[in-house]
Coordinates of all heavy atoms in Angstrom, one line a residue:
Q1 N 5.3 -15.0 -0.9 CA 6.2 -15.2 0.2 C 6.4 -13.9 1.0 O 6.5 -13.9 2.2 CB 7.5 -15.8 -0.3 CG 7.4 -17.3 -0.7 CD 8.7 -17.7 -1.3 OE1 9.6 -17.0 -1.6 NE2 8.8 -19.0 -1.6
L2 N 6.6 -12.8 0.2 CA 6.8 -11.5 0.9 C 5.6 -11.2 1.7 O 5.7 -10.7 2.8 CB 7.1 -10.5 -0.2 CG 7.3 -9.1 0.3 CD1 8.7 -9.0 1.0 CD2 7.3 -8.1 -0.8
W3 N 4.4 -11.4 1.1 CA 3.1 -11.0 1.8 C 3.0 -11.9 3.1 O 2.6 -11.3 4.2 CB 1.9 -11.3 1.0 CG 0.6 -11.1 1.6 CD1 -0.1 -12.0 2.2 CD2 0.0 -9.8 1.8 NE1 -1.3 -11.4 2.7 CE2 -1.2 -10.1 2.5 CE3 0.3 -8.5 1.5 CZ2 -2.1 -9.1 2.9 CZ3 -0.6 -7.5 1.8 CH2 -1.8 -7.8 2.5
S4 N 3.3 -13.1 3.1 CA 3.2 -14.0 4.2 C 4.2 -13.7 5.3 O 3.9 -13.8 6.5 CB 3.3 -15.5 3.8 OG 4.6 -15.7 3.4
K5 N 5.4 -13.2 4.9 CA 6.4 -12.9 5.9 C 6.2 -11.5 6.6 O 6.5 -11.3 7.7 CB 7.8 -12.9 5.3 CG 8.3 -14.3 5.0 CD 9.7 -14.2 4.4 CE 10.2 -15.6 4.0 NZ 11.5 -15.5 3.3
H6 N 5.7 -10.5 5.8 CA 5.6 -9.2 6.2 C 4.2 -8.6 6.0 O 4.0 -7.7 5.2 CB 6.7 -8.3 5.5 CG 8.1 -8.8 5.5 ND1 8.8 -8.8 6.6 CD2 8.8 -9.4 4.5 CE1 10.0 -9.3 6.3 NE2 10.0 -9.7 5.1
K7 N 3.3 -9.2 6.7 CA 1.9 -8.8 6.5 C 1.6 -7.3 6.9 O 1.0 -6.6 6.1 CB 0.9 -9.7 7.3 CG 0.9 -11.1 6.7 CD 0.0 -12.0 7.5 CE 0.0 -13.4 6.9 NZ 0.1 -14.4 7.9
T8 N 2.1 -6.9 8.0 CA 1.8 -5.5 8.4 C 2.5 -4.5 7.6 O 2.0 -3.4 7.2 CB 2.1 -5.3 9.9 OG1 3.5 -5.7 10.1 CG2 1.3 -6.1 10.8
A9 N 3.7 -4.8 7.1 CA 4.4 -3.9 6.2 C 3.7 -3.9 4.9 O 3.7 -2.8 4.2 CB 5.8 -4.4 6.1
S10 N 3.2 -5.0 4.4 CA 2.5 -5.0 3.1 C 1.2 -4.2 3.2 O 0.9 -3.5 2.2 CB 2.2 -6.5 2.7 OG 3.4 -7.2 2.6
V11 N 0.5 -4.2 4.3 CA -0.7 -3.4 4.5 C -0.3 -2.0 4.4 O -1.0 -1.1 3.8 CB -1.4 -3.8 5.8 CG1 -2.5 -2.8 6.1 CG2 -2.0 -5.2 5.7
S12 N 0.8 -1.6 5.0 CA 1.2 -0.2 5.0 C 1.5 0.3 3.6 O 1.1 1.4 3.2 CB 2.5 0.0 5.9 OG 3.0 1.3 5.9
V13 N 2.2 -0.5 2.9 CA 2.6 -0.2 1.4 C 1.3 -0.1 0.6 O 1.1 0.8 -0.2 CB 3.6 -1.2 0.8 CG1 3.8 -1.0 -0.6 CG2 4.9 -1.1 1.6
V14 N 0.4 -1.0 0.8 CA -0.9 -1.0 0.0 C -1.7 0.3 0.3 O -2.3 0.9 -0.6 CB -1.7 -2.3 0.2 CG1 -3.1 -2.2 -0.3 CG2 -1.0 -3.4 -0.4
T15 N -1.7 0.6 1.6 CA -2.4 1.8 2.0 C -1.8 3.1 1.4 O -2.5 4.0 1.0 CB -2.4 2.0 3.6 OG1 -3.0 0.8 4.1 CG2 -3.3 3.1 4.0
C16 N -0.5 3.1 1.4 CA 0.3 4.2 0.7 C -0.1 4.4 -0.8 O -0.4 5.4 -1.3 CB 1.8 4.1 0.9 SG 2.4 4.3 2.5
I17 N -0.2 3.2 -1.5 CA -0.5 3.2 -2.9 C -1.9 3.7 -3.1 O -2.2 4.5 -4.0 CB -0.2 1.8 -3.5 CG1 1.2 1.5 -3.5 CG2 -0.8 1.7 -4.9 CD1 1.6 0.0 -3.8
L18 N -2.8 3.2 -2.3 CA -4.2 3.7 -2.4 C -4.4 5.1 -2.1 O -5.1 5.9 -2.8 CB -5.1 2.9 -1.5 CG -5.4 1.4 -1.9 CD1 -6.2 0.7 -0.8 CD2 -6.1 1.3 -3.2
E19 N -3.6 5.7 -1.2 CA -3.6 7.1 -0.9 C -3.1 7.9 -2.0 O -3.7 8.9 -2.4 CB -2.8 7.3 0.4 CG -2.7 8.8 0.8 CD -1.8 8.9 2.0 OE1 -1.3 7.9 2.6 OE2 -1.5 10.1 2.4
I20 N -2.0 7.5 -2.6 CA -1.5 8.2 -3.8 C -2.5 8.2 -4.9 O -2.8 9.2 -5.6 CB -0.2 7.6 -4.2 CG1 0.9 7.9 -3.2 CG2 0.2 8.1 -5.6 CD1 2.2 7.1 -3.5
I21 N -3.1 7.1 -5.2 CA -4.1 7.0 -6.3 C -5.3 7.8 -6.1 O -5.7 8.6 -7.0 CB -4.5 5.5 -6.5 CG1 -3.3 4.7 -7.1 CG2 -5.7 5.4 -7.5 CD1 -3.6 3.2 -7.1
T22 N -5.8 7.9 -4.8 CA -7.0 8.6 -4.5 C -6.7 10.1 -4.6 O -7.4 10.9 -5.3 CB -7.5 8.2 -3.1 OG1 -7.8 6.9 -3.1 CG2 -8.8 9.0 -2.8
V23 N -5.7 10.6 -3.9 CA -5.4 12.0 -3.8 C -5.0 12.6 -5.2 O -5.6 13.6 -5.6 CB -4.3 12.3 -2.7 CG1 -3.9 13.7 -2.8 CG2 -4.9 12.0 -1.3
W24 N -4.1 11.9 -5.8 CA -3.6 12.5 -7.1 C -4.6 12.3 -8.2 O -4.7 13.0 -9.2 CB -2.2 12.0 -7.4 CG -1.2 12.7 -6.6 CD1 -0.6 12.2 -5.5 CD2 -0.7 14.0 -6.8 NE1 0.2 13.2 -5.0 CE2 0.2 14.3 -5.8 CE3 -1.0 15.0 -7.8 CZ2 0.9 15.5 -5.7 CZ3 -0.3 16.2 -7.7 CH2 0.6 16.4 -6.6
G25 N -5.5 11.3 -8.1 CA -6.6 11.1 -9.0 C -7.6 12.2 -8.9 O -8.0 12.8 -10.0
I26 N -7.9 12.6 -7.7 CA -8.8 13.8 -7.5 C -8.2 15.1 -7.9 O -8.8 15.9 -8.6 CB -9.2 13.8 -6.0 CG1 -10.2 12.6 -5.7 CG2 -9.9 15.1 -5.7 CD1 -10.6 12.5 -4.3
V27 N -6.9 15.2 -7.7 CA -6.2 16.4 -8.2 C -6.2 16.5 -9.7 O -6.5 17.6 -10.3 CB -4.7 16.4 -7.7 CG1 -3.8 17.4 -8.5 CG2 -4.6 16.6 -6.2

């Protein structure tokens, strides 16, 4: 329900999570 109501906000949060995983994984 959250995904269907706030699609663009959800994409922003998922992108932030992927960024954290990638950058700090490489660190």
Side-chain angles (χ1 to χ4, degrees):
Q1 289 174 349
L2 179 72
W3 176 264
S4 66
K5 288 181 183 177
H6 309 288
K7 289 180 182 136
T8 53
S10 299
V11 170
S12 176
V13 171
V14 168
T15 307
C16 288
I17 291 169
L18 289 174
E19 181 184 353
I20 290 171
I21 290 170
T22 303
V23 170
W24 283 99
I26 290 174
V27 167

